[in-house]
Amino acid sequence: KSIFSDFKGPAIKYIDGYHDTDELIRLYATFDLVIGMRLHACIMALLTNTPAINITYESKGRKLFQNIGLQDFVLEPEESTE
């Protein structure tokens, strides 16, 4: 969460707290891109045709994205960015 304090303006939103499923789906539909560590966040984004990048820590996220042809949109925390 603290990394978001370096970004100014409305381009980046950090969603915190409780939101019901319908509220989240409506919110994700307004985004240009969702970057999520929780698979359900990425699934809800994809349901609204919003592109998603899954930062995965479990094989189920990688497998799901592979199954739907989006394997290039999966990052694993141990992958180097160099």
Side-chain angles (χ1 to χ4, degrees):
K1 186 175 179 179
S2 63
I3 64 168
F4 294 104
S5 62
D6 295 337
F7 296 98
K8 304 296 182 206
I12 294 177
K13 294 183 181 183
Y14 176 81
I15 302 173
D16 199 9
Y18 175 80
H19 302 275
D20 68 36
T21 304
D22 291 334
E23 184 179 2
L24 285 172
I25 289 174
R26 282 191 301 274
L27 188 60
Y28 289 157
T30 68
F31 294 166
D32 295 319
L33 172 70
V34 169
I35 301 172
M37 288 188 72
R38 300 289 188 206
L39 181 58
H40 287 94
C42 293
I43 291 170
M44 284 189 274
L46 294 172
L47 286 172
T48 67
N49 292 318
T50 300
I53 296 173
N54 182 12
I55 302 174
T56 187
Y57 53 91
E58 294 180 346
S59 64
K60 66 182 178 182
R62 183 174 53 264
K63 288 178 183 176
L64 173 68
F65 270 59
Q66 285 173 342
N67 287 340
I68 60 176
L70 296 175
Q71 60 275 3
D72 292 340
F73 298 93
V74 176
L75 299 174
E76 297 189 36
E78 63 272 1
E79 288 182 7
S80 173
T81 58
E82 296 180 38

